Amino acid sequence: MNREATAVPRPADRVHLADLPLRPELAGEEPYGAPQLDVPVRLNVNENPYPPPGRIRAQIADAVAEAAKTLNRYPDREARDLRADLAHYLGFGLTADHIWAANGSNEAIMHVLEAFGGPGRTVLTFGPTYSMYPEYARGTHTGFVVVPRLPDHGLDVDLVQQAVADHRPDVMLIANPNNPTGTQVPVALIADICDRCDCLVVVDEAYQEFTEYPDDSALALLPNHPRLVVARTMSKAFALAGARVGYLAAAPAVVDACRIVRLPYHLSATTQAVARVALANSAALLGQVSRLRAQIQQLQHWLRGQGLDVPPSQANFCLFGPFEDRHAVWEALLARGVLVRETGPDNYLRVCAGTPAEMETFKTALLDAMPRRGRGEGQA
Ligand SMILES: *Cc1c(COP(=O)(O)O)cnc(C)c1O
């Protein structure tokens, strides 16, 4: 029977959001997110294009079946085993006490802002950068300040010190490598910043595994910097975006602050089980990282060869442009079955590393999509 056809009118369904006592700052806001379109080549959200291998999928299924035996019980609120596994994966002498895990690093960083931001406080970041950062601030009633990066999208101590003097932040967010530019600042600069600032410094290393020297991480600074937080995710290099697992490493006291603000049992038993299987197979899951890195390095070279400007990226994506009408190029690519991202500096688009076949499709589509006179145009 068609339930729709017999449904009685429901007055509550006709109420508009504007009729509800919504928080005023949310008026007119749209839900965040890149378009999720079902097209053959999806290069828009920096995912790993390789699904987990069959052998690991089978282990995940077994682990979930095992977890299902106790799904009537709440999961381990502290996710101790998972945090110990994450510490072991990171190395640098870290233990479970230094790790906090959540449903994506978005949630983990949100916990930091819930604990250290709030009304009357300020979070400072350097743009262009990750489009979720303003949402963390909005969600926690924290003031949000974006200071422009240097022209090459990097940072230096003077710029950061001046920004801190001007805005007196309580929390600083630095994506490194930065999204959407892919540019990376040296760990030595992060050390300088930590030495000179007394705010919490969150270094978001979502793409660290893709960089030329993945071990050259702000994690090395943690032993001497109690206000440093290094965020990581399993969504990108680990090819586990669908599982929603992110985490951070920090002083145990910072982790304690996150434990205060998290909702109890925030990480489901199945999430914890899946993540632990993934970590036990980290070498296999990370097996495509060097290939993806090579893909995106080659692509940057190719794009420059087409007369486009491409900031040097250490991540699994890069910006390219400028285009007089980037939306037209985005649409022309989409019409050819290729989805990229309209984000970052005006007139630029972002693309991420796919399989070799996907890269070829992207290149062919882009050559078709670029306005003839547009190649190199606007760079004079
Ligand atoms: C993708 C990304 C994340 C990860 O988000 P998850 O919630 O872990 O999926 C975090 N920071 C940046 C800069 C990102 O690009």
Side-chain angles (χ1 to χ4, degrees):
M1 186 181 75
N2 183 344
R3 289 161 144 267
E4 295 272 312
T6 59
V8 290
R10 298 160 60 102
D13 293 357
R14 288 198 298 273
V15 169
H16 295 287
L17 187 47
D19 302 326
L20 297 176
L22 186 70
R23 278 167 48 196
E25 66 272 30
L26 298 182
E29 291 281 288
E30 294 284 333
Y32 168 85
Q36 289 191 304
L37 304 175
D38 189 13
V39 299
V41 179
R42 283 177 291 175
L43 304 172
N44 66 328
V45 287
N46 304 341
E47 293 155 334
N48 188 321
Y50 298 100
R55 180 179 59 80
I56 299 176
R57 291 206 295 269
Q59 284 183 47
I60 287 175
D62 288 347
V64 170
E66 193 60 32
K69 290 182 185 164
T70 55
L71 276 183
N72 56 315
R73 304 288 179 192
Y74 282 111
D76 174 10
R77 245 184 347 241
E78 303 295 343
R80 288 295 304 187
D81 292 342
L82 172 59
R83 286 162 59 203
D85 290 353
L86 288 165
H88 182 253
Y89 164 70
L90 288 179
F92 288 91
L94 295 163
T95 67
D97 293 337
H98 300 105
I99 304 292
W100 183 240
N103 296 283
S105 55
N106 273 293
E107 189 183 50
I109 303 174
M110 189 77 175
H111 286 157
V112 173
L113 283 201
E114 283 175 32
F116 297 97
R121 295 196 169 189
T122 299
V123 54
L124 169 70
T125 189
F126 302 94
T129 193
Y130 189 36
S131 42
M132 276 301 295
Y133 292 163
E135 308 242 338
Y136 306 161
R138 188 189 71 193
T140 57
H141 308 265
T142 311
F144 184 69
V145 176
V146 190
V147 166
R149 288 172 167 255
L150 297 168
D152 67 357
H153 306 301
L155 298 172
D156 64 23
V157 159
D158 291 343
L159 184 153
V160 173
Q161 255 190 324
Q162 189 60 51
V164 167
D166 290 346
H167 302 289
R168 300 258 150 241
D170 301 280
V171 181
M172 188 187 297
L173 290 176
I174 301 176
N176 200 38
N178 186 39
N179 180 6
T181 62
T183 49
Q184 192 180 29
V185 300
V187 172
L189 175 68
I190 304 288
D192 264 3
I193 294 170
C194 291
D195 285 338
R196 290 157 200 245
C197 305
D198 58 9
C199 61
L200 225 70
V201 176
V202 180
V203 180
D204 181 354
E205 292 188 347
Y207 300 95
Q208 185 66 25
E209 286 94 340
F210 292 108
T211 64
E212 188 171 8
Y213 304 108
D215 292 338
D216 194 14
S217 158
L219 292 170
L221 308 175
L222 285 172
N224 297 315
H225 293 93
R227 298 186 180 196
L228 172 64
V229 177
V230 182
R232 294 281 188 101
T233 180
M234 297 186 79
S235 297
K236 307 287 165 53
F238 252 99
L240 215 66
R244 307 303 301 128
V245 186
Y247 54 104
L248 52 81
V254 173
V255 172
D256 285 343
C258 293
R259 292 173 53 233
I260 293 172
V261 296
R262 59 104 175 92
L263 296 174
Y265 317 110
H266 67 296
L267 264 187
S268 80
T270 47
T271 300
Q272 294 185 41
V274 170
R276 294 195 66 207
V277 173
L279 288 160
N281 290 281
S282 59
L285 283 173
L286 294 170
Q288 308 290 346
V289 164
S290 56
R291 182 183 299 192
L292 291 167
R293 179 177 162 78
Q295 290 287 1
I296 202 74
Q297 294 302 322
Q298 283 161 19
L299 185 69
Q300 292 177 56
H301 185 72
W302 182 86
L303 288 164
R304 287 184 196 114
Q306 307 310 310
L308 293 163
D309 176 46
V310 183
S313 171
Q314 284 293 326
N316 66 332
F317 57 81
C318 66
L319 282 181
F320 60 101
F323 299 106
E324 201 160 288
D325 184 352
R326 80 168 171 186
H327 187 69
V329 177
W330 181 86
E331 277 192 324
L333 287 170
L334 187 59
R336 289 161 180 82
V338 179
L339 183 59
V340 298
R341 187 76 181 271
E342 279 184 276
T343 187
D346 293 346
N347 310 325
Y348 281 74
L349 293 168
R350 193 191 69 196
V351 63
C352 72
T355 64
E358 287 173 332
M359 293 288 89
E360 287 313 310
T361 307
F362 165 75
K363 288 191 222 170
T364 308
L366 183 64
L367 289 178
D368 265 9
M370 280 203 286
R372 286 290 144 222
R373 295 186 318 111
R375 278 181 221 177
E377 184 183 60
Q379 296 188 75

